[in-house]
Structures are given as structure tokens and as C-alpha cells.
Coordinates of all heavy atoms in Angstrom, one line a residue:
M1 N 94.1 89.7 110.3 CA 95.0 88.9 111.1 C 96.4 88.9 110.3 O 96.4 89.0 109.1 CB 94.6 87.5 111.2 CG 95.6 86.6 111.9 SD 95.1 84.9 112.1 CE 93.7 84.9 113.1
I2 N 97.4 88.9 111.0 CA 98.8 88.9 110.4 C 99.5 87.6 110.8 O 99.5 87.2 111.9 CB 99.6 90.1 110.9 CG1 98.9 91.4 110.5 CG2 101.0 90.0 110.3 CD1 99.5 92.6 111.1
I3 N 100.0 86.9 109.8 CA 100.8 85.7 110.0 C 102.2 85.8 109.4 O 102.4 86.7 108.5 CB 100.1 84.5 109.5 CG1 99.9 84.5 107.9 CG2 98.7 84.3 110.1 CD1 99.5 83.2 107.3
N4 N 103.1 85.0 109.8 CA 104.4 84.9 109.2 C 104.5 83.6 108.4 O 104.0 82.6 108.9 CB 105.5 84.9 110.3 CG 105.8 86.3 110.9 OD1 105.6 87.3 110.2 ND2 106.1 86.4 112.1
K5 N 105.1 83.7 107.3 CA 105.3 82.6 106.4 C 106.7 82.5 105.9 O 107.4 83.6 105.8 CB 104.4 82.6 105.1 CG 102.9 82.7 105.4 CD 102.2 82.9 104.1 CE 102.1 81.6 103.4 NZ 101.1 81.6 102.3
E6 N 107.2 81.3 105.6 CA 108.5 81.2 104.9 C 108.2 80.8 103.5 O 107.4 79.9 103.2 CB 109.4 80.1 105.6 CG 110.1 80.6 106.7 CD 111.3 79.6 107.1 OE1 111.5 78.6 106.5 OE2 112.1 80.0 108.0
I7 N 108.9 81.5 102.6 CA 108.7 81.4 101.2 C 110.0 81.3 100.5 O 111.0 82.0 100.9 CB 107.9 82.6 100.6 CG1 106.5 82.6 101.2 CG2 107.8 82.5 99.1 CD1 105.7 83.9 100.8
K8 N 110.1 80.4 99.5 CA 111.4 80.3 98.7 C 111.1 80.9 97.3 O 110.1 80.6 96.7 CB 111.8 78.8 98.6 CG 112.3 78.3 99.9 CD 112.9 76.9 99.7 CE 113.4 76.4 101.0 NZ 114.8 76.1 101.1
I9 N 112.1 81.7 96.9 CA 112.0 82.2 95.5 C 113.4 82.0 94.8 O 114.4 82.0 95.5 CB 111.6 83.7 95.4 CG1 112.5 84.6 96.1 CG2 110.2 83.8 96.0 CD1 112.3 86.0 95.9
K10 N 113.4 81.9 93.5 CA 114.6 81.7 92.8 C 115.5 82.9 92.9 O 115.0 84.1 92.9 CB 114.3 81.5 91.3 CG 113.6 80.2 91.0 CD 114.5 79.1 90.9 CE 113.7 77.8 90.5 NZ 114.4 76.6 90.8
I11 N 116.8 82.7 93.0 CA 117.8 83.8 93.0 C 117.9 84.3 91.6 O 118.3 83.6 90.7 CB 119.1 83.3 93.6 CG1 118.9 82.9 95.1 CG2 120.2 84.4 93.4 CD1 120.2 82.4 95.7
P12 N 117.8 85.6 91.4 CA 118.0 86.2 90.0 C 119.5 86.4 89.8 O 120.3 86.4 90.7 CB 117.2 87.5 90.1 CG 117.4 87.9 91.5 CD 117.3 86.6 92.3
K13 N 119.8 86.7 88.5 CA 121.2 87.1 88.2 C 121.6 88.3 88.9 O 122.7 88.4 89.3 CB 121.3 87.2 86.6 CG 121.2 85.9 85.9 CD 121.4 86.1 84.4 CE 121.2 84.7 83.8 NZ 121.4 84.8 82.3
E14 N 120.7 89.3 89.0 CA 121.0 90.6 89.7 C 120.0 90.8 90.7 O 118.8 90.8 90.5 CB 121.0 91.8 88.7 CG 122.2 91.9 87.8 CD 122.3 93.2 87.1 OE1 121.9 94.2 87.7 OE2 122.7 93.2 85.9
F15 N 120.4 91.0 92.0 CA 119.5 91.2 93.1 C 118.9 92.6 93.0 O 119.5 93.6 92.7 CB 120.3 91.1 94.4 CG 119.4 91.4 95.6 CD1 118.5 90.5 96.1 CD2 119.4 92.7 96.2 CE1 117.7 90.8 97.2 CE2 118.6 93.0 97.2 CZ 117.7 92.0 97.7
S16 N 117.6 92.6 93.3 CA 116.9 93.9 93.5 C 115.7 93.6 94.4 O 115.1 92.5 94.3 CB 116.5 94.5 92.2 OG 115.3 93.9 91.7
S17 N 115.3 94.6 95.3 CA 114.2 94.4 96.1 C 112.9 94.3 95.2 O 111.9 93.7 95.6 CB 114.1 95.5 97.2 OG 114.0 96.7 96.5
G18 N 112.9 95.0 94.1 CA 111.8 95.0 93.2 C 111.5 93.6 92.7 O 110.3 93.3 92.5
Y19 N 112.5 92.8 92.4 CA 112.4 91.5 91.9 C 111.6 90.7 93.0 O 110.7 89.9 92.7 CB 113.7 90.8 91.6 CG 113.7 89.3 91.4 CD1 113.3 88.8 90.2 CD2 113.9 88.4 92.4 CE1 113.2 87.5 90.0 CE2 113.9 87.1 92.2 CZ 113.5 86.6 91.0 OH 113.4 85.2 90.8
I20 N 112.0 90.8 94.2 CA 111.4 90.0 95.3 C 109.9 90.5 95.5 O 109.0 89.7 95.6 CB 112.2 90.2 96.6 CG1 113.5 89.4 96.5 CG2 111.4 89.6 97.8 CD1 114.5 89.6 97.6
E21 N 109.7 91.8 95.5 CA 108.4 92.3 95.7 C 107.4 91.9 94.6 O 106.3 91.6 94.8 CB 108.4 93.9 95.9 CG 109.1 94.2 97.2 CD 109.4 95.7 97.4 OE1 109.0 96.5 96.5 OE2 110.0 96.0 98.4
E22 N 107.9 91.9 93.4 CA 107.1 91.5 92.2 C 106.8 90.0 92.4 O 105.6 89.6 92.1 CB 107.9 91.7 90.9 CG 107.1 91.4 89.7 CD 105.8 92.2 89.5 OE1 105.7 93.4 90.0 OE2 104.8 91.6 89.0
N23 N 107.7 89.2 92.8 CA 107.4 87.7 93.0 C 106.3 87.6 94.1 O 105.4 86.8 93.9 CB 108.6 87.0 93.4 CG 109.4 86.5 92.2 OD1 109.1 85.4 91.7 ND2 110.3 87.2 91.7
L24 N 106.4 88.3 95.2 CA 105.4 88.2 96.2 C 104.0 88.7 95.7 O 103.0 88.1 96.1 CB 105.9 89.0 97.5 CG 107.1 88.5 98.1 CD1 107.6 89.5 99.2 CD2 106.9 87.1 98.7
K25 N 104.0 89.7 94.9 CA 102.8 90.3 94.4 C 102.1 89.2 93.4 O 100.9 89.0 93.5 CB 103.1 91.6 93.6 CG 101.9 92.3 93.1 CD 102.4 93.6 92.4 CE 101.3 94.3 91.7 NZ 101.8 95.5 91.0
Q26 N 103.0 88.6 92.6 CA 102.4 87.5 91.7 C 101.8 86.4 92.5 O 101.0 85.7 92.0 CB 103.5 87.1 90.8 CG 103.9 88.1 89.7 CD 105.1 87.6 88.8 OE1 105.6 86.5 89.0 NE2 105.5 88.5 88.0
M27 N 102.3 86.1 93.7 CA 101.8 85.1 94.5 C 100.4 85.5 95.2 O 99.8 84.7 95.8 CB 102.7 84.7 95.6 CG 104.0 84.0 95.2 SD 105.1 83.7 96.5 CE 106.6 83.3 95.7
G28 N 100.0 86.7 95.0 CA 98.8 87.2 95.5 C 98.8 87.5 97.0 O 97.8 87.5 97.7
L29 N 100.0 87.8 97.6 CA 100.1 88.0 99.0 C 100.0 89.5 99.3 O 100.6 90.3 98.6 CB 101.5 87.5 99.5 CG 101.7 86.0 99.3 CD1 103.1 85.6 99.6 CD2 100.7 85.2 100.0
D30 N 99.4 89.8 100.4 CA 99.3 91.2 101.0 C 100.4 91.3 102.0 O 100.2 91.0 103.2 CB 97.9 91.4 101.6 CG 97.7 92.9 102.0 OD1 98.7 93.7 101.8 OD2 96.7 93.2 102.6
V31 N 101.6 91.7 101.6 CA 102.8 91.6 102.4 C 103.0 92.9 103.2 O 103.0 94.0 102.6 CB 104.0 91.3 101.5 CG1 105.3 91.4 102.3 CG2 103.9 90.0 100.8
L32 N 103.3 92.8 104.5 CA 103.6 94.0 105.3 C 105.1 94.2 105.3 O 105.6 95.3 105.2 CB 103.2 93.8 106.7 CG 101.7 93.9 107.0 CD1 101.4 93.6 108.4 CD2 101.1 95.2 106.6
K33 N 105.9 93.1 105.4 CA 107.3 93.2 105.4 C 107.9 91.9 105.0 O 107.2 90.8 105.2 CB 107.9 93.7 106.8 CG 107.6 92.7 107.9 CD 108.3 93.2 109.2 CE 108.0 92.2 110.3 NZ 108.8 92.5 111.5
W34 N 109.1 91.9 104.6 CA 109.8 90.6 104.2 C 111.3 90.8 104.6 O 111.8 91.9 104.6 CB 109.6 90.2 102.8 CG 110.1 91.3 101.8 CD1 109.3 92.2 101.2 CD2 111.4 91.4 101.3 NE1 110.1 93.0 100.4 CE2 111.4 92.5 100.4 CE3 112.6 90.8 101.4 CZ2 112.5 93.0 99.7 CZ3 113.7 91.2 100.7 CH2 113.6 92.3 99.9
A35 N 111.9 89.6 104.8 CA 113.4 89.6 105.0 C 114.0 88.3 104.5 O 113.3 87.3 104.6 CB 113.7 89.7 106.5
I36 N 115.1 88.4 103.9 CA 115.8 87.2 103.5 C 116.5 86.6 104.7 O 117.3 87.3 105.4 CB 116.9 87.5 102.4 CG1 116.3 88.1 101.2 CG2 117.7 86.3 102.1 CD1 117.3 88.6 100.2
T37 N 116.1 85.3 105.0 CA 116.7 84.7 106.2 C 117.7 83.6 105.9 O 118.4 83.2 106.8 CB 115.5 84.1 107.1 OG1 114.7 83.2 106.3 CG2 114.6 85.2 107.6
D38 N 117.7 83.1 104.7 CA 118.6 82.1 104.3 C 118.7 82.0 102.8 O 117.9 82.6 102.1 CB 118.1 80.7 104.8 CG 119.2 79.7 104.9 OD1 120.4 80.0 104.7 OD2 118.9 78.5 105.1
F39 N 119.7 81.3 102.2 CA 119.8 81.1 100.8 C 120.6 79.9 100.5 O 121.4 79.5 101.4 CB 120.3 82.3 100.1 CG 121.7 82.7 100.5 CD1 122.8 82.2 99.7 CD2 121.9 83.5 101.6 CE1 124.1 82.6 100.1 CE2 123.2 83.9 101.9 CZ 124.3 83.4 101.2
D40 N 120.5 79.3 99.4 CA 121.3 78.3 98.9 C 121.8 78.6 97.5 O 121.6 79.8 97.1 CB 120.7 76.9 99.0 CG 119.4 76.8 98.2 OD1 119.2 77.5 97.2 OD2 118.5 76.0 98.6
K41 N 122.2 77.7 96.7 CA 122.7 78.0 95.3 C 121.6 78.5 94.4 O 121.9 79.2 93.4 CB 123.4 76.8 94.7 CG 124.7 76.5 95.4 CD 125.4 75.4 94.7 CE 126.7 75.1 95.3 NZ 127.5 74.1 94.7
E42 N 120.3 78.1 94.7 CA 119.2 78.4 93.7 C 118.1 79.3 94.3 O 117.5 80.0 93.5 CB 118.6 77.1 93.3 CG 119.6 76.2 92.5 CD 118.9 74.9 92.0 OE1 117.7 74.8 92.1 OE2 119.7 74.1 91.6
N43 N 117.9 79.3 95.6 CA 116.8 80.0 96.2 C 117.1 80.9 97.4 O 118.1 80.6 98.1 CB 115.8 79.0 96.7 CG 115.2 78.1 95.6 OD1 114.6 78.6 94.6 ND2 115.4 76.8 95.7
Y44 N 116.4 82.0 97.5 CA 116.3 82.7 98.8 C 115.2 82.2 99.6 O 114.1 81.8 99.1 CB 116.0 84.2 98.5 CG 117.1 85.0 97.9 CD1 116.8 85.8 96.8 CD2 118.3 85.1 98.4 CE1 117.7 86.6 96.2 CE2 119.3 85.8 97.8 CZ 119.0 86.6 96.7 OH 120.0 87.4 96.1
T45 N 115.4 82.1 100.9 CA 114.3 81.8 101.8 C 113.9 83.1 102.5 O 114.8 83.8 103.1 CB 114.7 80.8 102.9 OG1 115.1 79.6 102.3 CG2 113.6 80.5 103.9
L46 N 112.6 83.5 102.4 CA 112.1 84.8 102.9 C 111.2 84.5 104.1 O 110.4 83.5 104.0 CB 111.3 85.5 101.9 CG 112.0 85.8 100.5 CD1 111.0 86.5 99.6 CD2 113.2 86.7 100.7
N47 N 111.3 85.3 105.1 CA 110.3 85.3 106.2 C 109.4 86.5 105.8 O 109.9 87.6 105.7 CB 110.9 85.5 107.5 CG 109.9 85.4 108.6 OD1 109.1 86.3 108.8 ND2 110.0 84.3 109.4
V48 N 108.1 86.3 105.7 CA 107.2 87.3 105.2 C 106.0 87.4 106.2 O 105.4 86.5 106.6 CB 106.6 86.9 103.8 CG1 105.7 87.9 103.2 CG2 107.8 86.6 102.8
A49 N 105.7 88.7 106.5 CA 104.5 89.0 107.3 C 103.4 89.3 106.4 O 103.5 90.2 105.5 CB 104.8 90.2 108.2
V50 N 102.3 88.5 106.4 CA 101.2 88.6 105.5 C 99.9 88.9 106.2 O 99.6 88.3 107.2 CB 101.1 87.2 104.7 CG1 100.0 87.3 103.7 CG2 102.4 86.9 104.1
V51 N 99.1 89.8 105.6 CA 97.8 90.1 106.1 C 96.8 89.1 105.5 O 96.8 88.9 104.2 CB 97.4 91.5 105.7 CG1 95.9 91.8 106.2 CG2 98.3 92.5 106.3
I52 N 96.0 88.4 106.3 CA 95.0 87.5 105.8 C 93.7 87.9 106.3 O 93.6 88.6 107.4 CB 95.3 86.0 106.1 CG1 95.4 85.8 107.6 CG2 96.6 85.6 105.4 CD1 95.4 84.4 108.0
D53 N 92.6 87.6 105.6 CA 91.2 88.0 106.1 C 90.7 87.0 107.0 O 90.9 85.8 107.0 CB 90.3 88.1 104.8 CG 90.7 89.3 104.0 OD1 91.2 90.3 104.5 OD2 90.6 89.2 102.7

């Protein structure tokens, strides 16, 4: 099954997709796709499509 989740992660000093993907990997998520949908001074808000068993 595939679900969508909203996740917040800290904004790094330098943006890279690798930084975001590594954070999602550390959360133990099986991610199909992700997109930044919002941000504030400290965090990105991501919409993430996740495969669950």
C-alpha cells in the first residue's frame, strides 16, 4: 500500500536533495517520491509518498 505523509525536517545550511533523502532514509521510510510543499525559518515541510506493508 502507498500512503502520503507530511514530514518536517530541519533546513540545512546548504540545500541538496541528498540531505533530504538521507534524512528520510534515517527515518526508515521506503519513499517513492517527495516534494517540498512549504517551509519556515527552521524547517522544510515535505509531502512524501511512502510504501507500507
